[in-house]
Amino acid sequence: MLLKLDPSKIRCEEIRDIETIAADSVYKCYQCGKCSAACPAAPEMDMLPNQVIRYLQLGMYEKILESNTPWVCASCLQCMTVCPKGVDLAKIMEAVRTVHLRRGENKLNINKLDEEYKARAPQIAMIAGLRKFQSLS
Ligand code: SF4
Ligand code: SF4
């Protein structure tokens, strides 16, 4: 795949915000891929965790938004456990979600959920889902 880099997007505002919220640098990563090999949620992701970091390093924040990976991430910390550079990918994934939600672009609208589903779903799952997928502001 041919990637066209835009130097003006490197360390763009969104990526700086992600690093601030995660209190970590995406540039620590040297793309060994151990995080992706260890990630239990990887089979459900359309972009591997190390690829998320790579796109962030390259200033391609918009690519991340096309991906389901930050939303599928279960914050299990397995990736951080195996990362030789100590990259906190779970926090970076959460920061990606936070920046996205702060733009007012919700991933879930509770009002659009099926009434029968809402009646059946455990309350704790609903609250966790709202916290993860919907802006509360
Ligand atoms: S394990 Fe760490 S250094 Fe290796 S690709 Fe993943 S984030 Fe990067
Ligand atoms: S924290 Fe997220 S990216 Fe890391 S191993 Fe768990 S599910 Fe995968």
Side-chain angles (χ1 to χ4, degrees), residues 39-41 45 49 73-79 90 93:
C39 176
M45 295 171 170
C73 169
S75 304
C76 69
L77 303 178
Q78 190 70 20
C79 46
M93 296 287 191

Side-chain angles (χ1 to χ4, degrees), residues 26 31 38 45 47 67 71 78 94 113 115 118 122 137:
V26 297
Q31 289 293 303
M45 295 171 170
M47 181 185 288
S67 160
W71 308 96
Q78 190 70 20
E94 185 175 14
L113 287 178
E115 288 303 323
K118 279 198 275 188
S137 58

